[in-house]
């Protein structure tokens, strides 16, 4: 019985790790994310699903992506760089970057 409970807890725990978070629509709109990205298909930049797949098992992926989101930078896929914050809606706080990245990684 105890072994079954441990197995169930492990299964539920892993399901929660990959649970899709609700879209932070105000942040997505304010940062104009959908100008280059879509949820599930590449557009001018990779889809959020592609980003999640690529970084899902990368240690410290959230910190890497939060920095990229807050500072902009060169392209890692294709030729479209991540625009500077001033070019896509203005500065982004660490907290807001964290919310956006956690949502993307949950895709």
């Amino acid at each position: 019985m105890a072994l079954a409970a441990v197995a169930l807890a492990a299964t539920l725990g892993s399901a929660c790790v990959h649970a899709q978070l609700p879209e932070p629509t105000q942040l997505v709109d304010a940062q104009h994310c959908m100008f280059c990205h879509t949820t599930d298909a590449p557009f001018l930049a990779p889809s959020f699903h592609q980003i999640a797949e690529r970084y899902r098992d990368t240690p410290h992926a959230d910190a890497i992506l939060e920095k990229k989101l807050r500072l902009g930078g060169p392209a890692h896929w294709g030729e479209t760089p991540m625009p500077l914050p001033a070019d896509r809606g203005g500065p982004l706080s660490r907290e807001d970057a964290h919310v956006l990245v956690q949502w993307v990684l949950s895709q």
Side-chain angles (χ1 to χ4, degrees), residues 25-37 48 83 85-90:
T25 305
Q26 285 184 320
L27 288 173
V28 169
D29 290 347
Q31 289 294 304
H32 306 294
C33 301
M34 298 302 189
F35 283 18
C36 297
H37 299 276
F48 297 129
D87 296 332
R88 56 166 212 272

Side-chain angles (χ1 to χ4, degrees), residues 8-80:
L8 178 60
T11 301
L12 291 175
S14 66
C16 291
V17 169
H18 296 292
Q20 187 171 357
L21 299 174
E23 179 182 302
T25 305
Q26 285 184 320
L27 288 173
V28 169
D29 290 347
Q31 289 294 304
H32 306 294
C33 301
M34 298 302 189
F35 283 18
C36 297
H37 299 276
T38 70
T39 301
D40 57 4
F43 183 50
L44 296 175
S47 72
F48 297 129
H49 180 76
Q50 288 176 301
I51 295 167
E53 286 294 315
R54 178 182 251 185
Y55 287 96
R56 184 159 285 133
D57 297 321
T58 301
H60 311 290
D62 52 350
I64 294 165
L65 294 172
E66 287 169 24
K67 181 178 179 182
K68 181 79 159 191
L69 191 56
R70 292 186 68 235
L71 303 176
H76 290 159
W77 278 319
E79 297 182 21
T80 304

